[in-house]
Amino acid sequence: GTYPNKWFVGSAAQNGGAKSLYISNNDGVSNSYTTNTTTTTHAYRDVVIPATGGNQLQFNFDWKSVGEGSFDYIRVWLVPSTFTPTAGTQLTAANSGGIQIGGNFSLQSSWITYNGIVNVANILGTNRRIVFEWRNDSSGGTQPPGAIDNLNLKIITCSAPTNLVLT
């Protein structure tokens, strides 16, 4: 598209491997962004949620993104595979039919791991799309922008106990 800040797979930002997914304003040469323009861009990949095996999905990835607090950040979504994001439009549960994973990821200059559990009981046996969304406004910001590495999805076959009572 015509937005200056886009997702790239390359070697400008990685956490232990050769490549990662990151925002760049220079065709993937560096993990940097143009702070004086508004951008919303997406990168996605389709996955299959198995029909059997468990009702929870363990969702882990490494991320970093300084940005600008509540204005420049990464968001992660699990949406139906029939939904295709549109550059310039932020995702919501209403417009995507999906769920947001975690919160808004920002203000982190070094790599950190997100570990989350998603209930997938109502979408077992379906194809889903994992969408990484970068959003920045035009009021400034701090380098670097978003970067994602070491994505790992795993169906939990033995859920952790809940509502334990000690007597």
Side-chain angles (χ1 to χ4, degrees):
T2 59
Y3 291 95
N5 305 318
K6 302 174 191 165
W7 288 102
F8 284 88
V9 173
S11 59
Q14 71 278 348
N15 189 29
K19 294 184 179 183
S20 70
L21 177 67
Y22 56 91
I23 291 295
S24 178
N25 62 356
N26 56 11
D27 296 326
V29 174
S30 67
N31 178 213
S32 58
Y33 75 119
T34 303
T35 60
N36 63 355
T37 185
T38 300
T39 303
T40 301
T41 57
H42 308 92
Y44 57 86
R45 178 169 187 146
D46 292 350
V47 297
V48 176
I49 307 296
T52 60
N55 291 336
Q56 294 179 319
L57 177 66
Q58 183 176 345
F59 206 105
N60 303 329
F61 58 89
D62 297 337
W63 70 276
K64 68 177 181 174
S65 175
V66 177
E68 186 189 9
S70 60
F71 301 107
D72 302 354
Y73 49 79
I74 300 169
R75 293 195 305 176
V76 183
W77 294 86
L78 186 63
V79 302
S81 61
T82 55
F83 175 78
T84 302
T86 302
T89 302
Q90 282 192 269
L91 274 64
T92 65
N95 73 12
S96 70
I99 57 170
Q100 186 175 353
I101 308 298
N104 295 343
F105 297 97
S106 66
L107 301 178
Q108 180 65 39
S109 62
S110 57
W111 290 102
I112 189 169
T113 301
Y114 170 80
N115 295 299
I117 304 291
V118 178
N119 184 333
V120 293
N122 62 341
I123 58 171
L124 294 174
T126 64
N127 296 329
R128 292 291 156 169
R129 181 165 284 162
I130 300 167
V131 180
F132 293 97
E133 177 178 65
W134 168 255
R135 187 263 189 194
N136 69 275
D137 69 353
S138 59
S139 67
T142 303
Q143 306 291 345
I148 301 288
D149 204 356
N150 302 317
L151 174 64
N152 186 21
L153 305 174
K154 177 181 165 184
I155 292 293
I156 298 173
T157 57
C158 182
S159 300
T162 59
N163 299 324
L164 296 176
V165 177
L166 181 62
T167 57

